[in-house]
Amino acid sequence: MENFIFSINVTIPIFLVMVLGWGLKQIGMLNDNFVTVANKFNFKVTLPFLLFRDLSSVDIKAVFDLKYVLFCAIASSVCFWVIWGGTKLFMKDKTMTGAFVQASFRSSAAVMGLAFIQNIYGQSAMGPLMIVGAVPLYNIYSVIVLTFEAQKGEEESQKNKIKDVFLNILKNPIIIGIFLGLMASLLEIDFPVLVDKTVNNVAQMATPLALIALGAGFEGKKALAKIKPTLAASFIKLVVQAAVFLPIAAWMGFAGEKMIALLIMLASPTTPSCYIMAKNMNNDGVLTASIVVTTTLLAAFTLTGWIFLLKTMGLI
């Protein structure tokens, strides 16, 4: 019961902020233009600041564990390529492919993950290490699938799409934020208090603004029409990935903070930044929002189950 209450306290407040955004849109306080501007602002400003802050504030060299980082990277890569391959084979409506793949494999590692780990262990070094291993790949793979599966028509050549992928990766503000954060950590740059407070103030806007915009942009009737892919993606996100890779992680000797960070990487809700990227790159924003909302609501139950299982087995 304690684990269930803990998970509820982590996930339900996030869900309720989305509901607030939806409610404000219904009474006319927010409109479609707000959603568009807020998504662009989050994508280009607040999320890069958030990732820069989280990475630059940790001494990566002191806590670096190559075996762990490689496991995070390989697990994330396998999930992405297997899900994309399976979606290409089995999904009939090809316009949903990019949104489905991204929302199925990409966790809320930076936004929700660090808060979850810190609630259990206090200040954690393993959260940023997991971010180093997974989050850059989350963004690179998202750019790849969203570029190739964008709803632009079939006239664009494969050569142009490959060119677009490279340009989108280089220009992606989130990837730039991760790169700069890593550089600041590795070079041990000590920023003045003035800079630290400014970065922190901008970073703190990322999560609430993303959730408000997601809720305001949620289209209930359209989402209900896509309930089957929503539930399929939610099952993959919250259950399947963890069921495959957590036993392998236990066999490799990972436990404690490392296991919790892996659980967040594999089985936390789909990150709100999926919605922002899907909308900004001509993919299915309705399906993405539906998956984010559904995984956030169900995660209170699934994460509780995973935590109970890991505790029972003595892994955390």
Side-chain angles (χ1 to χ4, degrees), residues 38 62 79 127 151 153 175 196-197 200 202 220 247 300:
C79 290
Q151 298 163 30
I175 294 173
D196 279 338
K197 287 192 173 182
N200 192 52
V202 177

Side-chain angles (χ1 to χ4, degrees), residues 247-313:
I248 298 172
W251 175 75
M252 292 180 69
F254 298 132
E257 286 182 48
K258 290 182 178 179
M259 188 61 81
I260 284 292
L262 286 173
L263 174 63
I264 296 303
M265 183 186 87
L266 294 165
S268 69
T270 301
T271 178
S273 56
C274 278
Y275 171 73
I276 297 164
M277 282 186 70
K279 290 284 284 185
N280 277 276
M281 296 181 69
N282 300 307
N283 279 260
D284 193 332
V286 174
L287 176 61
T288 307
S290 180
I291 295 168
V292 173
V293 171
T294 303
T295 55
T296 301
L297 184 58
L298 295 178
F301 304 95
T302 56
L303 281 174
T304 301
W306 284 118
I307 289 169
F308 178 77
L309 187 62
L310 292 173
K311 268 194 170 183
T312 302
M313 297 175 70

Side-chain angles (χ1 to χ4, degrees), residues 82-92 94 96-98 100-101 104:
V82 170
I83 292 168
W84 194 5
T87 304
K88 295 288 279 186
L89 283 174
F90 298 111
M91 181 165 277
K92 293 176 182 177
K94 300 305 179 187
M96 295 194 291
T97 300
F100 182 91
V101 173
S104 295

